[in-house]
Amino acid sequence: MRRITTTLMACLMMLFVAATAQAQDITDQDMKDYAVILLAQKSITEKISPYVNGLIEQQEGIDGNRYAELDAIAKGDATKLASGTPTEQFEQQFYATIQKRVDTRKKAASTVVNTLAKYSLGAKKYNAIKKAYKSDSDVKAKVDQMMAELAAE
């Protein structure tokens, strides 16, 4: 029994050391690169809502409130909308068109993030920083500060 306890303690110590070593492998430059990636993603995704609003304004017969109602029903899937009457068919087609354009922009943001992560940090380091960003308040604060400084430049 004592041997099992000793082995278990040794394993736990190794895991702790490995986790600490992994967290220490993240440099300030890595966090700055991660901040750049987040800013690029934010830059693309922040433009989606104004783009959608512009498309809605150009379309006669649908306003922002009606689009919000359609979106609450469909939740991204135009096939969930009723399509019996000509008006419903029009709304379904319009919603599907908007969703296709939104999806294209979201995929673009994802592609940018993946490309930057791959070539600036590498997938392993990117995922380590992403995990630390979500779980470690010090890393999050530092990355957020870097994002603010970069955005101010």
Side-chain angles (χ1 to χ4, degrees):
M1 185 65 153
R2 184 174 183 173
R3 187 174 193 179
I4 293 173
T5 304
T6 304
T7 305
L8 181 61
M9 289 300 287
C11 288
L12 288 174
M13 294 277 290
M14 287 175 37
L15 286 173
F16 178 74
V17 169
T20 304
Q22 184 179 11
Q24 291 174 350
D25 287 346
I26 299 173
T27 66
D28 284 350
Q29 184 60 45
D30 293 337
M31 286 189 272
K32 187 173 184 177
D33 290 345
Y34 185 76
V36 169
I37 292 169
L38 291 181
L39 283 173
Q41 180 183 31
K42 182 178 177 186
S43 174
I44 295 170
T45 56
E46 282 183 340
K47 293 176 181 159
I48 292 174
S49 185
Y51 173 72
V52 169
N53 290 338
L55 293 173
I56 292 169
E57 287 175 11
Q58 294 174 3
Q59 184 58 54
E60 188 176 317
I62 293 187
D63 62 6
N65 292 331
R66 182 61 185 148
Y67 182 81
E69 291 170 3
L70 294 172
D71 194 42
I73 295 166
K75 296 179 181 162
D77 183 3
T79 61
K80 293 181 182 177
L81 297 173
S83 60
T85 68
T87 301
E88 290 171 339
Q89 290 172 1
F90 164 76
E91 289 177 340
Q92 184 184 39
Q93 288 177 332
F94 179 73
Y95 184 82
T97 301
I98 296 296
Q99 280 309 115
K100 184 177 179 183
R101 293 180 181 184
V102 167
D103 290 344
T104 300
R105 282 172 169 60
K106 286 181 180 178
K107 285 178 186 173
S110 178
T111 300
V112 166
V113 168
N114 291 338
T115 302
L116 288 172
K118 179 179 177 182
Y119 293 107
S120 67
L121 291 169
K124 188 175 182 180
K125 188 162 279 200
Y126 172 81
N127 288 329
I129 297 170
K130 183 178 177 180
K131 183 178 177 182
Y133 181 78
K134 289 181 179 180
S135 63
D136 186 338
S137 60
D138 292 337
V139 172
K140 182 174 179 11
K142 198 164 196 172
V143 170
D144 288 346
Q145 177 187 1
M146 289 176 177
M147 286 175 61
E149 290 171 0
L150 289 168
E153 291 179 358

